[in-house]
Amino acid sequence: LVASISAANQAQSEGLTQLNAVVGLMDSTTQSNAASAEESASAAEELSAQAQSLRASVVTLRTLIDGGD
């Protein structure tokens, strides 16, 4: 009986060790994904600002072209 309990404890310990490793990997992946999402949001914001600036430049160019006729 004692040997059986000991074997069960060992199996449980190994299972918990594996579970802790998986949870650590999931945490690392989640942090990496969060950083990537933040970088993507920042890039999207910058791209939006550049697009707005380009639109303003096109409006100015059209005004110059139409005014030259």
Side-chain angles (χ1 to χ4, degrees), residues 4-61:
S4 178
I5 292 172
S6 177
N9 282 341
Q10 181 63 30
Q12 186 178 32
S13 176
E14 290 172 6
L16 288 174
T17 298
Q18 291 175 352
L19 182 60
N20 282 337
V22 169
V23 168
L25 181 59
M26 288 174 59
D27 183 52
S28 175
T29 301
T30 300
Q31 289 180 16
S32 177
N33 286 346
S36 293
E38 190 174 325
E39 289 172 9
S40 293
S42 177
E45 190 174 319
E46 177 64 26
L47 187 57
S48 178
Q50 289 177 1
Q52 188 173 358
S53 176
L54 182 58
R55 273 189 232 106
S57 295
V58 168
V59 167
T60 300
L61 182 58

